[in-house]
Amino acid sequence: RAFPSPFMVQVLDAMMSRSVPPVHEIRPELPPRLSAIISKAAAQDRKQRYRGAREMRLAVEQLARSG
């Protein structure tokens, strides 16, 4: 969990006010490029995110092809 808490109100507050921690800090076994894709998708600033699902899908497909 990016924002662990037993209380949904605290989770929602964290989602609105803090950046998601880098995925590799939570799941260090994941490939760095996958962590980068997830971080971009979860960016708080909309301008830093993928423009849409198609753009993200292409990034994931490229990662899958490259191994």
Side-chain angles (χ1 to χ4, degrees):
R1 291 185 140 201
F3 303 111
S5 174
F7 304 105
M8 184 56 71
V9 173
Q10 290 178 335
V11 173
L12 293 173
D13 181 58
M15 290 172 63
M16 298 299 290
S17 61
R18 298 190 319 216
S19 296
V20 174
V23 175
H24 64 269
E25 289 181 8
I26 299 168
R27 299 281 306 269
E29 73 277 8
L30 293 179
R33 287 182 53 206
L34 179 57
S35 179
I37 290 170
I38 295 168
S39 291
K40 182 172 180 174
Q44 218 171 12
D45 182 351
R46 179 172 284 180
K47 294 175 187 169
Q48 294 178 351
R49 294 183 211 146
Y50 290 101
R51 289 176 282 175
R54 182 175 189 274
E55 184 181 3
M56 184 176 173
R57 186 190 83 219
L58 292 173
V60 171
E61 288 173 348
Q62 183 180 23
L63 173 63
R65 281 193 302 274
S66 67

